Amino acid sequence: GENVEQHPSTLSVQEGDSAVIKCTYSDSASNYFPWYKQELGKGPQLIIDIRSNVGEKKDQRIAVTLNKTAKHFSLHITETQPEDSAVYFCAFMKTSYDKVIFGPGTSLSVIP
Amino acid sequence: GAVVSQHPSWVICKSGTSVKIECRSLDFQATTMFWYRQFPKQSLMLMATSNEGSKATYEQGVEKDKFLINHASLTLSTLTVTSAHPEDSSFYICSARGGLAGGLSYEQYFGPGTRLTVT
């Protein structure tokens, strides 16, 4: 069935440190892996995504890595800032189902 | 970037009444729209997928007669919660995906959400 695990569920880091969030999916047919940031009371915002034919993608302080063999993908945030504090969701999509399935989320707190 | 709006941003209604939530894609045509539901401190749960001009596909466990979805145009989808009860109180979020020339876009753009409180 469709399932994605996300760890950790909560994460606190000091400003300037790096944060890493990891997800594991179960269906090898998954081919698109977006990451969303959700601030309190708002809708989720796409921050980076990766497709199954790519192993790594970077956008300024944010990077995503994908290991298709192990069915793992991770979000890396470097030089964290207080405004990075939010809930982060990994997600995946299977072309045949054409919908995005969300992980349980990670609450990130960046301490000034 | 693509913008999705929702209206209203919050609504309070009495038990037994119906409430309609609108989702609009403002600067692109959304061939597919999705409705999610989110309870406090939980993840987003997909309720249904709708394609313009056709009936919505509901996820298992979602009552199609209670949550009516209409995707009448390429820029508008509506979710109507019928005979609402306190347990329907939640944060409802829509998203939209448009098609690009030469292929389908993977990206889903999310609205700001609608907070429904049923008293």
Side-chain angles (χ1 to χ4, degrees), chain A residues 33-45:
Chain A
F33 306 90
W35 284 89
Y36 292 89
K37 174 183 180 182
Q38 186 180 30
E39 297 177 344
L40 191 62
K42 298 183 179 180
Q45 177 188 4

Side-chain angles (χ1 to χ4, degrees), chain B residues 12-24:
Chain B
I12 301 173
C13 70
K14 292 186 176 180
S15 186
T17 62
S18 295
V19 61
K20 180 185 286 188
I21 302 170
E22 291 187 350
C23 176
R24 293 181 184 272

